[in-house]
Amino acid sequence: MKILLLGEYSRLHNSLKEGLIALGHEVTIVGCGDKFKKFSVDYSIYARICNDNKIANFLFKGIRKVINLDLEKIEKAIRLYFLLPKLNDFNHVQMINSDALETYPILSRFLYKKLFKKIKSRSLLICGDEVSVVDYWFQNELKYSVLTPYFDDNSLEKDFQFPLKYRKDSYRKTFKWLNKNCQKLITSDLDYEIPMQKVGFTTTFIPNPINTDKIIFQPIENTNKIIIFLGINRLSYLKKGINYFEKALEIIREKHTDKVEIVVTENLPYSEYISIYNKAHILLDQVFAYDQGYNALEAMAKGKVVFTGAETEFLNQYQLQEDEVCINALPNENEIAAKLSFLIEHPEKILEISKNARNFIEKEHDYKTIAEKYLACWEA
C-alpha cells in the first residue's frame, strides 16, 4: 500500500511512517517540518524564500503589515502545487489536520481538490487545534483547556492566534469540506477525542504511535542530584501553561538548592531538544491537558518522569492509578512544586514511575501496533 501523509507538527507522522514501513508499506510525508523544530519530511513545502533570505524576509514582513498578505503561506501553496504531479499514485492520503498545508484556506481547498481527484481513500487526523475542538473549548464546559488563559484575559488574543484562526469562516469551510470528503476522522488523544465526541462527530480514537525500537529505555541509576528539564516553545508558552512550571521551579530552587539541577531551554530544533533532555530525571511538558502529547510520550518511553496531562478521563481510559505512569500537572504552581518536592525527597518513586512509564508506552503506544490500527481504520 502506498500512503501519503500531509503535515508534520510533532513527529507523529514520522513514527506512523516507521510503523507502516515495518509492516511492509510505502510511505511519503509532505510538510514544512514545523518551523524551528525541523521535523523530517520526504518532500518539503517550507517557505525557504520568505524565511531564509534576509532581504526577502524583511520585504515580505513589510507587505504583510501593510496589506495583510502573507507571502509565506502563498509560497507553501505554490511549492505543493508543483509537487502534485509526484503525488498521484497513492492508495491513501491522511491530513494531520485541516490546515496541514499551512496556507490560506481557499488555497488549501483548491490543492486538496486537485489531490483528491487521484486519491480516493482519505482520512483527517485530529491531533491539535481544529475547528470543532476549538468550538467545544468555547463552550467552556471543561474545568480547563488550552484556551483558559485567553478566557481569563482576552487581551492575550495575539498569543492565541493559532487556535483562534479556526473560528474564522474560511477555516470552518475547509474543515467542513474535508469532513465531507474524507471517509475517516481519527483522534490521537483524549484532548481531541473528548471535544469531537461532545460536539457529535463520529471518530476513531487511535493513540499516538511511539517507536519503541528506536527510543531506548534509559534506566535511572543516580538520583543524588535530581535533574529537572523544561523546554520552552514560545509559540505555545501560554497554551501549555509554562508559566506555572516556571513559578514552581522558583519554589524548588529555594527549597532544594543542593538536591536539584534545573535545565531550561527555548525554541530548540527537535534533535537538540532531545539530546539535552536525555540526562534529565524529570521533564515538565504541559499543564492544560487531559492526556499526553507527543513530547511527553517520547520522554516516557525513555523512562523520564513527565509532568503533563493525566486527568481522570485518561486514568479511566487506560485503567491506571493517579500519577502511576506520569504526573498530572495542574494549573497551580504550588501543587506542581509539592509534587516535585515529593519526588526529590523520595527518589525511589522516580525509579518506580520511570519503569511504569516505559511499560505503559510499550503496551498502549507501540508504533507497529498503532500502525496496524490505522490500516484497519482506513480499510474499514
Side-chain angles (χ1 to χ4, degrees):
M1 190 174 183
K2 286 190 67 176
I3 299 154
L4 175 62
L5 303 176
L6 291 182
E8 177 63 297
Y9 300 133
S10 62
R11 211 184 176 280
L12 190 162
H13 265 172
N14 269 278
S15 291
L16 178 57
K17 173 184 175 179
E18 289 160 4
L20 291 166
I21 288 175
L23 298 176
H25 300 277
E26 185 178 336
V27 186
T28 298
I29 300 177
V30 173
C32 299
D34 199 19
K35 301 184 183 298
F36 67 84
K37 296 178 187 175
K38 298 180 181 178
F39 292 115
S40 176
V41 297
D42 297 298
Y43 291 114
S44 176
I45 56 171
Y46 172 72
R48 292 195 299 273
I49 296 174
C50 291
N51 287 307
D52 294 349
N53 184 302
K54 291 184 179 180
I55 296 174
N57 183 261
F58 177 78
L59 178 63
F60 294 156
K61 281 183 178 178
I63 292 172
R64 183 167 55 195
K65 188 174 182 179
V66 174
I67 63 174
N68 198 29
L69 180 66
D70 192 334
L71 292 173
E72 181 180 346
K73 290 183 177 181
I74 292 174
E75 183 183 343
K76 291 173 183 175
I78 291 170
R79 289 187 180 280
L80 184 72
Y81 180 79
F82 284 109
L83 269 178
L84 287 175
K86 299 180 180 180
L87 306 179
N88 288 330
D89 188 24
F90 288 90
N91 304 110
H92 184 87
V93 59
Q94 176 166 279
M95 282 61 63
I96 203 159
N97 75 346
S98 61
D99 190 33
L101 306 181
E102 301 180 46
T103 184
Y104 284 109
I106 190 171
L107 296 177
S108 287
R109 293 194 299 275
F110 169 78
L111 293 165
Y112 287 143
K113 287 174 184 177
K114 291 277 189 185
L115 193 64
F116 287 9
K117 284 181 180 178
K118 298 290 185 179
I119 309 175
K120 302 304 180 184
S121 177
R122 313 152 194 148
S123 58
L124 175 61
L125 185 56
I126 313 294
C127 66
D129 300 338
E130 188 54 271
V131 170
S132 296
V133 174
V134 174
D135 280 349
Y136 181 67
W137 288 340
F138 263 83
Q139 293 180 23
N140 229 345
E141 293 181 359
L142 297 169
K143 61 182 178 181
Y144 57 73
S145 74
V146 298
L147 289 181
T148 293
Y150 169 74
F151 294 147
D152 291 341
D153 182 1
N154 288 165
S155 69
L156 298 172
E157 182 174 353
K158 186 177 180 182
D159 295 295
F160 288 84
Q161 58 181 305
F162 288 105
L164 292 179
K165 74 182 181 184
Y166 292 101
R167 301 281 285 173
K168 297 178 181 179
D169 288 342
S170 56
Y171 286 91
R172 191 174 299 277
K173 184 175 180 180
T174 300
F175 174 77
K176 287 182 176 179
W177 187 87
L178 282 172
N179 181 44
K180 182 179 178 181
N181 287 276
C182 292
Q183 292 84 8
K184 301 291 181 180
L185 291 179
I186 301 171
T187 55
S188 63
D189 70 48
L190 296 175
D191 287 291
Y192 315 116
E193 173 69 2
I194 293 170
M196 291 297 286
Q197 292 294 324
K198 290 287 187 180
V199 295
F201 282 89
T202 299
T203 58
T204 301
F205 173 57
I206 306 178
N208 284 300
I210 300 296
N211 190 330
T212 48
D213 291 328
K214 187 174 183 179
I215 299 176
I216 307 301
F217 176 64
Q218 300 171 346
I220 294 174
E221 297 176 351
N222 187 347
T223 56
N224 292 331
K225 180 167 279 194
I226 304 301
I227 303 172
I228 304 171
F229 175 79
L230 172 62
I232 298 173
N233 175 354
R234 281 292 160 190
L235 293 175
S236 58
Y237 177 87
L238 292 173
K239 283 176 58 181
K240 291 193 171 186
I242 301 301
N243 52 312
Y244 292 103
F245 286 141
E246 289 181 320
K247 292 174 184 177
L249 288 176
E250 288 302 315
I251 297 171
I252 294 301
R253 280 191 181 98
E254 292 183 13
K255 186 176 180 181
H256 298 288
T257 305
D258 298 328
K259 294 182 179 179
V260 299
E261 177 185 342
I262 296 173
V263 180
V264 180
T265 65
E266 188 169 325
N267 288 4
L268 290 181
Y270 174 77
S271 58
E272 289 183 41
Y273 172 87
I274 295 299
S275 66
I276 290 176
Y277 89 54
N278 274 340
K279 67 175 183 177
H281 300 95
I282 297 171
L283 182 139
L284 307 180
D285 178 54
Q286 61 180 323
V287 170
F288 295 118
Y290 289 72
D291 196 349
Q292 298 90 62
Y294 209 84
N295 280 348
L297 293 171
E298 285 201 329
M300 289 164 65
K302 289 186 175 182
K304 309 303 178 188
V305 176
V306 182
F307 280 62
T308 185
E311 280 288 351
T312 303
E313 292 84 349
F314 162 75
L315 301 179
N316 292 340
Q317 174 72 27
Y318 295 104
Q319 299 182 329
L320 296 167
Q321 299 300 311
E322 184 177 357
D323 297 343
E324 181 180 350
V325 300
C326 56
I327 307 297
N328 190 30
L330 297 172
N332 183 310
E333 61 268 25
N334 292 316
E335 290 194 31
I336 293 171
K339 289 190 174 186
L340 282 169
S341 289
F342 177 81
L343 292 172
I344 293 164
E345 293 162 3
H346 299 85
E348 71 280 0
K349 196 66 179 176
I350 294 177
L351 301 179
E352 178 186 328
I353 297 171
S354 170
K355 293 174 184 176
N356 291 345
R358 176 65 187 198
N359 291 337
F360 170 73
I361 297 299
E362 290 180 353
K363 180 182 177 184
E364 304 292 353
H365 292 275
D366 175 73
Y367 72 123
K368 293 178 200 173
T369 303
I370 297 302
E372 289 173 347
K373 292 183 178 182
Y374 270 92
L375 291 168
C377 175
W378 296 337
E379 295 170 353

